[in-house]
Amino acid sequence: MSPVIHQPHDRFFKLSLREPKVALEFFTEHLPKTVLEKINLASLKLDNHSFIDEHFKGAEADIVYQVQSATATTYLYLLCEHQSTVNHLMAFRLWVYMTRLMESHLKQHPGQTLPLVYSLVIYTGQEPW
């Protein structure tokens, strides 16, 4: 008997976007032109984050990339979240991830301004959301 694979779409999404070529093509196709014009996709760098605290034990962003702005040395974090089921708290979850990304960035780069965080949710569920 073969093992059951839980959430195969989530795993496929996460594994695929860990590949730099796939991520580059994905962001080129799915980010708005106004964002693409302001970033340097050649600086795309995978930046995995897990956020662990007493309220969100083991909360983990699906995929986080950082990219430099085309005009400055500021960072834009690209946060991608794959969702295969309806989650009515998704906006709050993204807000928590974004806040923690900014906090982590400020710890690594003291004195800098807050980075931009662009959140993108890919929903593949069948139920309307």
Side-chain angles (χ1 to χ4, degrees):
M1 189 162 101
S2 61
V4 176
I5 298 175
H6 298 284
Q7 301 173 337
H9 292 103
D10 289 343
R11 287 185 183 168
F12 178 74
F13 179 80
K14 198 168 192 174
L15 288 173
S16 296
L17 280 184
R18 286 183 185 273
E19 294 297 321
K21 286 182 180 180
V22 174
L24 182 64
E25 185 174 330
F26 177 83
F27 290 128
T28 300
E29 291 297 318
H30 295 294
L31 288 176
K33 287 183 182 185
T34 55
V35 172
L36 287 171
E37 291 169 354
K38 295 178 186 216
I39 62 174
N40 177 2
L41 276 179
S43 69
L44 198 64
K45 178 183 168 193
L46 185 62
D47 188 2
N48 287 332
H49 275 82
S50 290
F51 309 109
I52 300 171
D53 67 16
E54 61 188 60
H55 298 291
F56 295 94
K57 289 185 179 171
E60 184 176 312
D62 272 357
I63 298 291
V64 178
Y65 270 91
Q66 65 175 251
V67 63
Q68 290 187 335
S69 163
T71 58
T73 57
T74 57
Y75 289 93
L76 168 66
Y77 286 90
L78 303 170
L79 170 63
C80 289
E81 183 72 21
H82 177 261
Q83 193 65 31
S84 57
T85 58
V86 172
N87 182 339
H88 297 290
L89 295 176
M90 180 54 71
F92 176 73
R93 194 162 124 194
L94 289 173
W95 179 75
V96 170
Y97 288 165
M98 292 180 346
T99 302
R100 290 182 179 164
L101 273 171
M102 290 178 195
E103 181 180 41
S104 174
H105 178 84
L106 290 177
K107 285 179 182 175
Q108 292 176 19
H109 308 281
Q112 278 197 5
T113 58
L114 289 173
L116 297 172
V117 179
Y118 187 88
S119 300
L120 180 62
V121 176
I122 306 299
Y123 176 65
T124 58
Q126 295 182 11
E127 184 179 341
W129 185 10

